[in-house]
Amino acid sequence: MDKRIAGYAALLLSLLAHPAQSALECSSQPAPMVFYQPLLRHQGLSEEMLEPIKAKLQARQVKTIILQWSRYGAYSLWDSGGYDWLQRRLCGNRKYQFIFGLYADPQFFEQLKLSDAELKDYLHTLAQANLAEAAKITPHMGEQVKGWYLSEEIDDLNWQSLPRQQLLAEHLREQVLALRKLTPGKPVYVSTFFGGHSPPRVYAEMLQRLQQQSGVIWLVQDGQGVRRDPRPDTAAYLQAVAATLPAERWQGVLEVFTERVKDGQSSFCPVSRPTEARRQQLWCAATGRAAQAVFSLNQLAGEQLLDPGQQCRSQNQRIR
């Protein structure tokens, strides 16, 4: 039997085996995890300004916060002033567990243009930077470390060749082994997204191979908030992932922003709750389960975490 047909048959059997959950019940499930992009100016947030954010997290029944990075390029958000903000004000809150993002290189996608030999050296350097961040965080956070997040987002364009996939598998496996040694039993998460550059089945099988060789857990972004022309068939990609990967080896990420482009510049703005619900319904219809994480807290919190006095975040702002 064709692997794709077998995968879809397995998905159908899974859905038939759990008929009690209606589409409405599925799409109304609160996502227990939320991404947060810490920015330099967030260090100045007062306790009063944090209260509406805490209220939103409580209302949404969020249990786990995924910090997208602890260091962004040359900027550390864990040492000095950033250390105070992340550890004392946010991570010190015992209501939540945290999946800690490590080093984010703003030039990551530019570096993917390197030759395979050069890319191998770059990935090794990136891994060392990630492990250095984990070594800083572990002594202070202890049991609040639910897992680790590697910020290198894996797409369906830059890793199509098998040699490149092997480089990536070795890179991910190196970090998983080192992080497990540092914090035994803690999972390692990596984001992935699709832009329509590989067929859904080919993309899903790539994720499967990389997962089997490295042990990561995929966080699959749905891309519903990003402007793309042409727009890939989101449902087809999600169906392929659900039919190919074991359920415990991946989780869905629901985008709660919409990209707007004006004068060639992108900004990312919050969506309405009805739009968010419709996007969650797509997850339920395509995979039989709701997305378990939303991206991101910055949009959910509105002007407290986005541009002062505005409701969107400019792509050009970077870390500030």
Side-chain angles (χ1 to χ4, degrees):
M1 180 183 292
D2 180 86
K3 293 171 70 175
R4 177 176 56 179
I5 296 175
Y8 288 130
L11 175 61
L12 178 60
L13 289 173
S14 175
L15 296 179
L16 292 174
H18 301 85
Q21 187 181 56
S22 68
L24 179 61
E25 289 172 331
C26 174
S27 61
S28 62
Q29 285 182 352
M33 303 192 298
V34 63
F35 271 86
Y36 164 55
Q37 294 178 307
L39 307 178
L40 293 175
R41 64 180 181 80
H42 291 171
Q43 298 171 21
L45 290 173
S46 66
E47 294 295 335
E48 181 180 0
M49 296 170 70
L50 289 175
E51 288 307 314
I53 301 173
K54 294 176 182 177
K56 282 186 170 65
L57 291 172
Q58 183 174 359
R60 285 177 167 266
Q61 302 178 46
V62 170
K63 306 297 182 185
T64 301
I65 297 174
I66 306 171
L67 298 175
Q68 194 162 8
W69 50 64
S70 62
R71 185 179 185 88
Y72 184 95
Y75 298 101
S76 174
L77 290 101
W78 191 255
D79 297 309
S80 62
Y83 174 92
D84 176 76
W85 155 245
L86 284 181
Q87 186 188 358
R88 184 173 63 84
R89 291 191 180 178
L90 182 63
C91 300
N93 191 325
R94 298 282 174 180
K95 290 182 180 179
Y96 306 106
Q97 288 188 305
F98 295 87
I99 296 172
F100 283 90
L102 298 170
Y103 172 68
D105 182 3
Q107 300 301 314
F108 175 73
F109 285 100
E110 283 297 313
Q111 299 294 338
L112 298 185
K113 298 175 183 177
L114 295 170
S115 68
D116 288 1
E118 293 171 319
L119 181 61
K120 181 176 182 179
D121 292 337
Y122 167 72
L123 291 177
H124 179 71
T125 301
L126 193 60
Q128 294 304 112
N130 279 329
L131 297 176
E133 288 302 304
K136 292 179 187 177
I137 292 168
T138 302
H140 301 283
M141 297 313 303
E143 290 305 311
Q144 281 188 280
V145 177
K146 182 177 181 178
W148 302 103
Y149 173 72
L150 307 180
S151 64
E152 42 262 46
E153 297 176 85
I154 307 307
D155 62 8
D156 62 340
L157 173 64
N158 290 289
W159 306 97
Q160 293 181 0
S161 73
L162 289 179
R164 284 230 155 181
Q165 290 179 26
Q166 189 57 43
L167 281 177
L168 179 58
E170 293 173 359
H171 167 66
L172 297 177
R173 182 169 59 246
E174 173 188 354
Q175 294 177 96
V176 168
L177 291 175
L179 290 169
R180 283 178 178 171
K181 185 176 181 180
L182 182 67
T183 53
K186 305 297 183 181
V188 179
Y189 298 84
V190 182
S191 284
T192 180
F193 66 94
F194 46 86
H197 302 290
S198 297
R201 178 178 59 84
V202 173
Y203 170 69
E205 290 177 351
M206 178 188 75
L207 296 185
Q208 181 186 46
R209 284 193 299 273
L210 291 170
Q211 191 283 317
Q212 289 174 341
Q213 294 176 58
S214 67
V216 298
I217 296 177
W218 292 114
L219 297 175
V220 181
Q221 302 173 23
D222 62 21
Q224 295 188 80
V226 179
R227 288 173 61 97
R228 293 194 179 107
D229 188 20
R231 176 175 290 276
D233 186 343
T234 301
Y237 281 89
L238 298 183
Q239 287 168 355
V241 169
T244 305
L245 290 173
E248 69 276 9
R249 305 316 300 174
W250 73 280
Q251 296 180 345
V253 180
L254 175 71
E255 293 179 352
V256 292
F257 63 82
T258 291
E259 181 181 6
R260 298 176 183 170
V261 179
K262 183 178 181 180
D263 299 327
Q265 301 296 321
S266 290
S267 59
F268 300 92
C269 308
V271 298
S272 66
R273 288 304 290 266
T275 297
E276 180 184 342
R278 287 194 296 271
R279 292 181 179 182
Q280 187 69 282
Q281 287 168 5
L282 186 150
W283 273 97
C284 294
T287 69
R289 67 184 196 185
Q292 292 112 321
V294 297
F295 191 96
S296 72
L297 177 59
N298 300 55
Q299 274 77 29
L300 295 181
E303 64 181 15
Q304 280 90 6
L305 294 179
L306 295 172
D307 297 347
Q310 300 182 31
Q311 289 293 316
C312 303
R313 175 156 179 78
S314 170
Q315 188 178 40
N316 295 329
Q317 282 186 299
R318 304 284 181 173
I319 188 63
R320 298 187 180 279

